[in-house]
Amino acid sequence: MTRTGWRGLTALAAVILCAGGSQAPRACSNGMLAVVGVRDGQTRIDLPAQAFTLKWRHSVSLTPVEADYIITPDGGIVQTEERFVAHGPGMAYDGKGWVQRDGAMVLPLDRPVPRLILRTAPEHENRLIVGDQMIDLTRWPATPLEILSPDCKED
């Protein structure tokens, strides 16, 4: 191999080592959920969770809405269902895939959410439900919050 070829190979090896070698990325199974301020990066809530629900009052119809999410093994968030009482006047009630359950419209989903950012307001009654805990997110009104699974930490 020529001198130039060896230099290129050495440079490539250095890049591979700096990038983490040939290992596949580790799956994240820390089972944690965090609520972080988007502007300041400060963690407001940090607790164990594999699934959670967001509950709020719709800004137009003023009816309750609930959305269920799971945290995937790689730390992603997937919305699995949304439930609501009514869209409001003039909206269809026969959407594709919708079902009625316990007096509510239910939309089953499998929707990955790359970033789950919300802005809370007391009039919207934003709540985070994890297990049997209900957390009032309106204590940070008009503050953009991101719900995420924190990065995996090495064991």
Side-chain angles (χ1 to χ4, degrees):
M1 184 174 277
T2 66
R3 182 177 273 198
T4 305
W6 280 110
R7 275 191 227 144
L9 186 58
T10 303
L12 178 61
V15 168
I16 290 172
L17 286 173
C18 289
S22 60
Q23 295 178 342
R26 276 189 348 127
C28 183
S29 58
N30 64 10
M32 295 299 292
L33 176 77
V35 177
V36 177
V38 171
R39 290 188 189 126
D40 60 15
Q42 288 187 335
T43 300
R44 306 305 203 276
I45 298 169
D46 193 14
L47 66 158
Q50 296 293 327
F52 62 96
T53 298
L54 287 175
K55 184 176 181 177
W56 68 94
R57 185 180 357 185
H58 193 278
S59 62
V60 175
S61 65
L62 303 179
T63 56
V65 180
E66 291 187 6
D68 293 339
Y69 300 85
I70 59 169
I71 299 171
T72 62
D74 66 353
I77 293 177
V78 175
Q79 185 179 7
T80 60
E81 189 172 276
E82 191 160 305
R83 295 176 300 283
F84 47 92
V85 177
H87 288 297
M91 299 298 286
Y93 284 87
D94 59 354
K96 183 177 180 181
W98 297 2
V99 296
Q100 289 193 17
R101 185 184 330 134
D102 300 326
M105 303 299 295
V106 179
L107 180 59
L109 298 164
D110 184 15
R111 183 177 77 118
V113 181
R115 288 190 77 189
L116 183 49
I117 298 175
L118 61 132
R119 184 180 300 257
T120 66
E123 61 271 16
H124 297 297
E125 301 173 2
N126 306 91
R127 304 292 187 262
L128 170 66
I129 303 165
V130 178
D132 60 357
Q133 279 187 284
M134 184 178 298
I135 301 162
D136 182 359
L137 296 175
T138 65
R139 63 180 118 170
W140 304 287
T143 302
L145 300 172
E146 182 170 7
I147 298 176
L148 52 88
S149 180
D151 293 336
C152 285
K153 301 201 175 22
E154 292 296 325
D155 295 332

